Amino acid sequence: MPKTESNALSFVQRNPDYDGRGVTIGVLDTGIDPGAIGLGQTSTQKHKLIDIIDCTGSGDVDMSTIANATLITDPDTNDTHWEVKGLSGKTLKLSGSLNITDFSSSSEDDKNITFNVRLGIKSAYELYPRQLTSRVKRYRQQVFDEKQREHAKLIRDQMHEWNSKYSASSATQAQVQEKKDLQAKLEILESSSSASDEHHPSNDPGPVYDCIIFYDGNDYRAFVDTTEDGDLRELQSMTDYDKEFQYGTFSSVDMLNYAIHIYDDSKVLSIVCDAGAHGSHVAGIASACHHPTSVRKEGDDEEDSDINGVAPGANVISFKIGDTRLGSMETGTALTRALIMAIAKKCDVINLSYGEPYVLTNSGRFHELADEFVQRYGIVFVSSAGNNGPALSTVGAPGGSCESILSVGAYVSPSMMEAGYSLITKSKNAILLNDDTANDEEFKHHPSNVDSVSVDEDGNFNVEVEDNVKDQPGSKNEDLLTGSTYTWSSVGPSTDGSFGVNICAPGGAITCVPNWTLQRKRLMNGTSMSSPHVAGCVALLLSACKAMNIKYHPNRIRKAIENSADTKDGLSTLQQGCGMINVVKAWEHLVTHQNDPMQDVNFRVSIDNLVSNNNVARGIYLRQPHETSAKQVFSVHVDPQFTKEDDVDKETQIRRVEFEVNLALSSSTGTNGSSWIETPDLLVLLNNGRSFKIEVDPTNLPPGVHTAQVLGHNVANPSSGPLFRVPITIVKTLPEENNVDLGRLNFTPAEVKRNFLSVPQGATWMDVTVRDTRTEQDKDASSRLTVLHTVQLLPHAAYKSNEHQRYLNLLPGQATVTSIPVHGGTSCELALARYWSASGSTTLDVDVDFRGVTPVGQYRPLLLAGKGGVPIRIESMLQDEGVSPDAKLTHWRSPLSPTKEGVVNPLGERDVWPTRNKQIYEMILTYEFDPSESSKDVSGTGFRPHVPSLNGYIYESTFESQMMLIYDSNKKLLGVSDAHPEEIKAPKKGKVTVKLQVRHSDPTILSKLKDQVIWIERKMSKEISLSVYASHEAMMKGSPKFRKRTLKKGTSLLTYVAEPDLSSLPKGCKAGDLLTGVVNYSSGGGNLPGTGKRPGGYSIRYVVGPSAPSSDDGGKGKEPEPPKDERSEEEKLEEAMLQFKVEKLTKLSSNVKKEDDDVEEKKKYRSLYDSIVESNPSHIPLLMVGMRHEDDEKWRTKRLQKVIESCNLILSKIDQDELVRHYGVTGYYDKEDGDACQERKKMDERKDALIEALARKARATADLENEEKDKDDHKEENDDDDKEETAESATETFDDLLAELKKWIDIDSNLKYSVLTLERERRKGRLGSVLNLLKKLIENDGEDTKGGICPISKPDLLKQRASVFEELGYDHLVEYDKLRSLLSSPKEFALF
């Protein structure tokens, strides 16, 4: 654990009681493992991890189901236990000693006592981190495969026996079927699943846990059935972690520890476990305490053996903001909840080692909340700067974008390189020096003077120091590694001119990780590691302040840290900010200036006449040539802020009235001196702020980046350091040229060379050639790792949108060409950096060649249906270019409107901002679409949901958060999407439901989204090539197409991209859909350096118009005119009325929900049906309604005889001989004869009725036969009614009816009648065939059975397959299918 760099180790050794004790650090991260080494106790042996909170909702369990738990007494032992049936179907048994008190109602009778409990269920794979899920699946697969092999061997033995008895030519049909059945079983046992086949029998659904909440009279308590057997009698019930510090482990396989919280009056159980190892590692850096007694005083032996975190005495609270559903991505919901809970839990400092590229600085909902969090509630907020360097302005949000947050860069010292990365950093030839600094203890242990470092088994850095060493003459120490920021550490300034990086700290450590990783510690690096180091340092300072009764505010702490930091040589302020944090000096600053009230004031700086992306700038950042070509005057406004503006208590108001400070203004010594900045000498600052002007004259600065600061010191206390800083960054570009030769660039280790290019107008890409200048004869033939990084900053765009990064590992003499898209007229940084860990010097030849074929005014061409195409003028301004336009459409977007207008609702107890108890609201919008309608034209089954007005924004979003949950037709959660949509796998059939949640504290803002349209994007299976022509005439005629030609420098030409042919569009396309793709204009070619064209091309879009009327009738021709209806108007009216009555009956039948309920609805149906049948006894459609009503799944098992009677009634009305005569042998009829067509239609209706009646009768008969068989098996006596019923139904057997049905339809090929095929195959003992058919039905989610006599849902199909597996003795497959059935059809939609 590197702590010498920041003097944290020295501080704790000198002040062992100021080791963070009394301070609480909030860690906003992936979550923390409560069982991780070093996170159990503080240095004073108190609980370190005092709460673990899941702010994401990914561990939430819906506990809205209430059930009765019954106290059961064993008559033999008199022991008692509670029983309740869990949502998994298992009987849950709880210890009888539990004090279960009702939270709603209870009942008691002579036999049992019952109390209410809440039930839920959760899949382990919804809780596991992705890395853990993969490991557990591998283990479970091994166990599963072993069982599969055991059963497969038995089947192969049976097949061997069959082969020894029969031959293919002599086997009977039954024997052949027997072999096919064995093969079907073998296929189940030996086939492997793929990730896309979620319902394959071998696809692991993972553990599934029943959850139960009860009330014990004082607290809600919960069980999570991690045993999966329902017996909870030996388990300890759990309650909110912060009450009893309980945590459990799911299993010895996963080793994942978890805790719980209960919310919303027990309606939500939050199972809290981490989403990755990141959070525990971050907590370990900030505050791990491995040995509470190991904190030694200065001068003690083995002082460097301390492996603790920076502040081992501090308490830690875990705020999980990495959503497991999103692979640990943060969400706005989680971030806001974390701030709310950090305030409620009285955190002193929080750390956020997360971040995203931003569009806007210091703007948006989260930035507002973060500013209030720091300034009003006095909590220090530390965050990582980002890992996206080495180019400028690559800091992320919120660290680099929010004014109130301390942004931290990552530094690596030589001692860290040696100990953590096993790198060589020091020459072996060294001599001792005589220098008075040898007596300076701080100098002795400075990283640059460390001779050797090792790591013991606990990850402890053991440092041996040899005083005063320097390299002997002739050594090549200049090639060895030196301290630096990591190459990838993000670099300032922010796009609005602010620092971006405020401070730096060690960015790597070996410390604790979760137990599920199966290791105690791990080396990780990143600004994610440097940020908690600073948070730990802050905890040390706050611990000391509290112990010494020194009042503090985050503004005071920040000034102390920034004004005492150690500036590192060779690094710019853009890389290191104010420098390396120095805890000892920061503490001296706090003590020395503890009575200076100015230290608590936040001096907010803004540049009045400089705007960045529509926001007032926080610094001066001139990057474009037109900005640096002349001297400019800027108005700097400084506004002192005490707390939030709406604080109007008397003390604060008096402070405002009396506030006055005399400030000495000066310009810091920046790069190239500071003569290019002129500033006034003095500013008298009063409340409400004042402005002053500074002159910046960059005209004489050489190409490169130049930085400086305008500092404001308190005249009354200048030694306290500046009260505010105005950062100034000037970028001077190289002269504009089409070809830029950067020459030979010599690199020392970790060196970054920045070249700022003036991109010519007309350039659309550049070819960057980099060549290693070493020759093959060079003695050092090792590869040289160099990072090439380019960035252009465009208005209202994150740097990520216009950056390119490539790692170059070059051998001697090797050259590489990289083609990079650029925007003409905007400066571009080209940064080349020796990777921080790469030793040895490097010399590179670098050349840049700007190229370009530019679409004039048509950067994103839009084709409208019906216009024929779109003209695009292209020009070449730099050189002759070969052009051969090529356009294609690759993706399909469809708009969706909400199924109904959204409604704003208040959220629960976790979602109330503490300032005036401001309630947070949600708007939920629901959308539906059917992906199967476009499945043939879509590549795979994936789709991406877009909300264009919301996507791309997290920290700077107007709204608190956005999230989409996507479900299938059975309410199973398919995926989750947020600000950066990922592809979601769609089911093959059935509707998909998308629920969009948007949150904000102002319901009026949310209400503006009540009709929000979203877009569904799919990749088309076949790209649509768009034809390109040289003229409008050629486009309209369709020839000739555009031919490759040379576009001379300074000239342009017009091309026409034609709209696609309607026949090439996806079949499900509708008017208003959008097809998107790419158009390239340059011809490219194998002989050209680089790609020869702009990488990625340009976006092109096509708006789909109305579909053309179809002329395809399938070859049937026009239907003949029906014969004239000779009936009277009265007869027609009677038929229409009868048809209406049948429709009404059908609706009334569906309104009857249960057999014993809905008495009124049942009476209405029966009364109407009987009266209509009485007057129309032979009307088959009417009788079909009656038959279907009796055969309804809700009650058919109690009415099987009535079902048969209804079927018989219909069969008696149909003359089968007449049907046979009509259809004959071939089924021919004269399609041009109207009478013949009408007769065929009538006969088809009768035939359909016949088939349905026979099928329903066969099914009912089979069920009665099965009931009778069960009674015989159990030797139960039938009552008279049963005997009579059996006697009546025994006249025709299931096999008889099936044989009759086969005369009219092939049930094997018609899956609507699968229920009968399954019954037949099962009766014949052909369970392999049953499994084959079930597999086919499950693959389409049971959709193939819809419209038949018995639609079978996917859960029911899985249950049927489980019963077959059970019959075969495949217990492992039974368990998997039962779990799949459970998970595939939840009762309710998953919670947000």
Side-chain angles (χ1 to χ4, degrees), residues 345-411:
K345 297 288 182 179
K346 302 188 184 306
C347 288
D348 299 288
V349 54
I350 66 169
N351 179 81
L352 176 66
S353 289
Y354 264 73
E356 301 290 334
Y358 61 85
V359 174
L360 301 171
T361 58
N362 226 38
S363 176
R365 178 68 176 155
F366 179 81
H367 287 111
E368 293 173 5
L369 296 178
D371 186 62
E372 185 173 0
F373 177 85
V374 173
Q375 301 301 335
R376 182 190 293 277
Y377 294 101
I379 303 173
V380 181
F381 196 155
V382 184
S383 184
S384 52
N387 302 326
N388 300 291
L392 301 186
S393 300
T394 50
V395 290
S401 64
C402 184
E403 181 177 3
S404 294
I405 296 177
L406 197 59
S407 177
V408 187
Y411 182 84

Side-chain angles (χ1 to χ4, degrees), residues 735-740 757-766 792 822-827 848-852 854 877-878:
E736 182 180 313
E737 293 179 303
N738 293 351
N739 182 273
V740 181
L757 309 174
S758 299
V759 181
Q761 289 287 357
T764 57
W765 83 93
M766 62 181 177
Q792 283 186 288
V822 295
H823 296 268
T826 301
S827 66
V848 181
D849 186 23
F850 287 105
R851 308 280 300 279
T854 309
M877 303 299 293
L878 306 181

Side-chain angles (χ1 to χ4, degrees), residues 327-466:
S328 78
M329 175 83 176
E330 80 272 42
T331 65
T333 295
L335 291 163
T336 303
R337 283 179 174 172
L339 297 187
I340 291 171
M341 293 307 298
I343 296 168
K345 297 288 182 179
K346 302 188 184 306
C347 288
D348 299 288
V349 54
I350 66 169
N351 179 81
L352 176 66
S353 289
Y354 264 73
E356 301 290 334
Y358 61 85
V359 174
L360 301 171
T361 58
N362 226 38
S363 176
R365 178 68 176 155
F366 179 81
H367 287 111
E368 293 173 5
L369 296 178
D371 186 62
E372 185 173 0
F373 177 85
V374 173
Q375 301 301 335
R376 182 190 293 277
Y377 294 101
I379 303 173
V380 181
F381 196 155
V382 184
S383 184
S384 52
N387 302 326
N388 300 291
L392 301 186
S393 300
T394 50
V395 290
S401 64
C402 184
E403 181 177 3
S404 294
I405 296 177
L406 197 59
S407 177
V408 187
Y411 182 84
V412 56
S413 67
S415 62
M416 291 169 62
M417 295 179 190
E418 292 187 356
Y421 303 95
S422 303
L423 300 177
I424 300 172
T425 65
K426 194 84 177 156
S427 170
K428 300 304 179 185
N429 301 317
I431 59 173
L432 292 180
L433 275 179
N434 241 334
D435 196 314
D436 291 338
T437 56
N439 297 319
D440 186 339
E441 191 70 20
E442 187 173 326
F443 174 83
K444 284 174 63 178
H445 299 292
H446 191 275
S448 63
N449 295 288
V450 172
D451 186 56
S452 65
V453 186
S454 61
V455 183
D456 65 18
E457 62 181 4
D458 291 324
N460 177 32
F461 285 82
N462 294 319
V463 184
E464 296 178 8
V465 178
E466 186 171 344

Side-chain angles (χ1 to χ4, degrees), residues 696-708:
V696 178
D697 186 1
T699 54
N700 295 319
L701 294 176
V705 60
H706 308 275
T707 60

Side-chain angles (χ1 to χ4, degrees), residues 784-802:
R784 293 287 194 259
L785 182 58
T786 305
V787 181
L788 167 65
H789 196 190
T790 66
V791 169
Q792 283 186 288
L793 298 181
L794 298 182
H796 213 85
Y799 74 85
K800 204 77 174 174
S801 304
N802 300 284

